[in-house]
């Protein structure tokens, strides 16, 4: 196993962009987002001494990053906000906005980030890990949600995403 | 004509968005760890500014008022405030991320945070309200005695006035307690919901 410096370099090179996307999904305010990203990197740097290959590096990185982000939300007293909803309660279609404008990639990404920020913390973790291409077993390892529940949530999520972004690609 | 985004299209869309890698060297990171902990220290200090204000006010009474009961009452309020500040620090202040954070799954970490908050709200009477009671009781008694000695004939109106004040303080304490119990119930509902996520959706078998 490499030194803490080596592990951190590896973390940044393999997961740096994913951590940036994670911070964007948790925090809409650009300044607070930069603080959050920095907190995640500091927490990772401090944590890598305890890593000792107790799980895969990817699982470790995502656990630390999501736990720091959850702390950030809790500290800002937003975990009790009533607008945070379960993925089971998300409307499959969004009547508030037209679907056609998702043809613009930027708009589609904004809408996707807004959808993620509406979700309760654990559902948010499932969605983000899914979007990063982590499989159901990996998601269960990071979040602690049972694999069966992860599978149910992903099924529901795919349905929501395909319906909400159905007119995204004009051909 | 329109096409659907497939699931993998949305994953591609998400992963291909422009990102910024943090421009932070290892040297900076070492320095920032120390700076970050100092920032947390000062953030916590700001949280306790209200407590410091109470201590300064009652410290002034302690010095200014000659009556023994008022001075004892002020001293007890100061002691109660310091105790509450210590409890706030222990239970609710912002700490830097523990180094072994990677050992906790999302559920474990979040559940522990919610359980800590729930317990703090449930026990609000013993660690937040009760410590002020002796000091306030002695302080109010002291002010009543001072007034009685300077105007000995107005006992009935004095008792009535202090009855109202004590009733108001009790009502505020009750409202604070009740609101916090309600907050604790909401947190418990979130914890229960989270525990259900640890079970298999059909068999109900607990897996984490």
């Amino acid at each position: 196993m490499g030194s803490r410096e080596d592990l951190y370099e590896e973390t940044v090179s393999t997961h740096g962009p994913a951590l940036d996307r994670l911070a964007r999904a948790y925090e809409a305010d650009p300044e607070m987002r930069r603080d959050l990203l920095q907190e995640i990197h500091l927490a990772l740097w401090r944590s890598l001494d305890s890593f000792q290959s107790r799980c895969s590096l990817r699982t470790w990185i995502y656990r630390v990053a999501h736990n720091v982000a959850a702390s950030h939300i809790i500290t800002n007293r937003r975990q009790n906000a009533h607008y945070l909803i379960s993925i089971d309660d998300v409307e499959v279609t969004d009547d508030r906005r037209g679907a056609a404008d998702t043809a613009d990639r930027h708009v589609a990404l904004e809408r996707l980030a807004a959808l993620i920020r509406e979700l309760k913390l654990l559902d948010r973790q499932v969605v983000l890990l899914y979007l990063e291409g982590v499989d159901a077993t990996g998601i269960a390892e990071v979040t602690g949600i049972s694999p069966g529940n992860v599978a149910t949530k992903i099924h529901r999520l795919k349905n929501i995403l395909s319906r909400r972004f159905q007119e995204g690609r004009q051909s | 004509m329109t096409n659907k985004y497939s699931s993998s299209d949305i994953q591609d869309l998400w992963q291909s968005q422009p990102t910024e890698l943090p421009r932070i060297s290892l040297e900076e990171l070492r320095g920032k760890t120390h700076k970050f902990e100092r920032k947390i220290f000062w953030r916590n200090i700001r949280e306790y500014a209200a407590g410091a204000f109470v201590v300064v006010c009652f410290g002034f009474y302690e010095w200014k008022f000659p009556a023994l009961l008022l001075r004892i009452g002020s001293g007890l309020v100061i002691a109660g405030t310091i105790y509450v500040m210590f409890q706030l620090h222990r239970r609710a202040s912002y700490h830097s991320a523990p180094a072994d954070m990677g050992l906790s799954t999302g559920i474990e970490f979040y559940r522990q945070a919610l359980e800590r908050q729930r317990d703090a709200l449930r026990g609000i009477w013993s660690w937040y309200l009760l410590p002020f009671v002796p000091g306030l009781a002695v302080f109010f008694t002291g002010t009543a005695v001072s007034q009685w000695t300077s105007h000995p004939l107005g006992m009935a109106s004095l008792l009535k006035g202090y009855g109202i004040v004590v009733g108001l303080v009790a009502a505020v304490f009750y409202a604070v307690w009740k609101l916090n119990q309600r907050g604790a119930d909401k947190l418990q509902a979130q914890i229960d919901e989270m525990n259900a996520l640890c079970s298999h959706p059909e068999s109900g078998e607990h897996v984490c």
Side-chain angles (χ1 to χ4, degrees), chain B residues 48-180:
Chain B
Y48 307 131
F53 179 73
V54 173
V55 169
V56 168
C57 285
F58 279 88
F60 175 74
Y61 295 156
E62 182 81 40
W63 167 71
K64 180 82 177 165
F65 294 143
L68 183 64
L69 274 179
L70 288 177
R71 297 180 70 175
I72 293 173
S74 300
L76 287 171
V77 170
I78 291 171
T81 308
I82 291 170
Y83 177 76
V84 168
M85 290 299 110
F86 167 72
Q87 290 291 333
L88 269 176
H89 177 73
R90 196 170 70 86
R91 293 162 184 269
S93 68
Y94 184 85
H95 298 285
S96 57
D100 58 357
M101 208 181 223
L103 291 176
S104 306
T105 63
I107 278 198
E108 286 164 351
F109 182 82
Y110 191 31
R111 185 167 47 200
Q112 280 165 12
L114 293 185
E115 282 172 349
R116 268 200 308 275
Q117 288 189 346
R118 178 205 57 194
D119 294 344
L121 296 184
R122 280 260 188 267
I124 198 93
W125 171 248
S126 60
W127 68 268
Y128 190 78
L129 300 174
L130 193 61
F132 288 113
V133 171
L136 288 176
V138 174
F139 189 81
F140 283 140
T141 308
T143 52
V145 169
S146 294
Q147 287 199 12
W148 167 245
T149 48
S150 53
H151 305 285
L153 295 178
M155 178 58 120
S157 61
L158 189 70
L159 282 176
K160 195 176 159 191
Y162 274 89
I164 291 171
V165 171
V166 170
L168 282 174
V169 172
V172 169
F173 273 34
Y174 177 76
V176 170
W177 175 79
K178 192 74 191 163
L179 278 174
N180 281 282

Side-chain angles (χ1 to χ4, degrees), chain A residues 90-119:
Chain A
V90 173
E91 295 290 332
V92 174
T93 53
D94 186 358
D95 296 333
R96 291 170 297 179
R97 302 162 177 142
D101 60 5
T102 56
D104 181 330
R105 286 172 65 86
H106 178 72
V107 173
L109 278 168
E110 283 300 314
R111 287 180 62 173
L112 189 52
L115 169 68
I116 294 167
R117 285 188 214 111
E118 281 180 17
L119 296 174

Side-chain angles (χ1 to χ4, degrees), chain A residues 60-112:
Chain A
W60 185 273
I61 292 167
Y62 278 131
R63 279 183 183 169
V64 172
H66 280 287
N67 289 345
V68 171
S71 248
H72 171 83
I73 300 291
I74 294 167
T75 306
N76 286 290
R77 304 284 187 260
R78 280 178 283 176
Q79 86 286 10
N80 285 330
H82 296 299
Y83 63 81
L84 294 185
I85 52 174
S86 159
I87 201 163
D88 301 324
D89 300 325
V90 173
E91 295 290 332
V92 174
T93 53
D94 186 358
D95 296 333
R96 291 170 297 179
R97 302 162 177 142
D101 60 5
T102 56
D104 181 330
R105 286 172 65 86
H106 178 72
V107 173
L109 278 168
E110 283 300 314
R111 287 180 62 173
L112 189 52

Side-chain angles (χ1 to χ4, degrees), chain A residues 2-94:
Chain A
S3 66
R4 170 154 83 159
E5 284 78 3
D6 294 340
L7 284 171
Y8 181 72
E9 295 284 8
E10 188 185 337
T11 300
V12 173
S13 62
T14 55
H15 289 85
L19 296 176
D20 186 55
R21 291 191 286 270
L22 182 150
R24 282 170 197 232
Y26 271 92
E27 183 54 73
D29 179 81
E31 202 171 319
M32 290 182 79
R33 187 189 304 152
R34 270 194 298 276
D35 283 353
L36 171 61
L37 187 60
Q38 199 171 79
E39 271 185 53
I40 289 172
H41 277 271
L42 284 171
L44 276 167
W45 167 252
R46 293 178 67 239
S47 80
L48 287 171
D49 264 348
S50 324
F51 170 56
Q52 296 165 349
S53 300
R54 289 192 257 195
C55 56
S56 73
L57 183 60
R58 184 188 71 168
T59 300
W60 185 273
I61 292 167
Y62 278 131
R63 279 183 183 169
V64 172
H66 280 287
N67 289 345
V68 171
S71 248
H72 171 83
I73 300 291
I74 294 167
T75 306
N76 286 290
R77 304 284 187 260
R78 280 178 283 176
Q79 86 286 10
N80 285 330
H82 296 299
Y83 63 81
L84 294 185
I85 52 174
S86 159
I87 201 163
D88 301 324
D89 300 325
V90 173
E91 295 290 332
V92 174
T93 53
D94 186 358

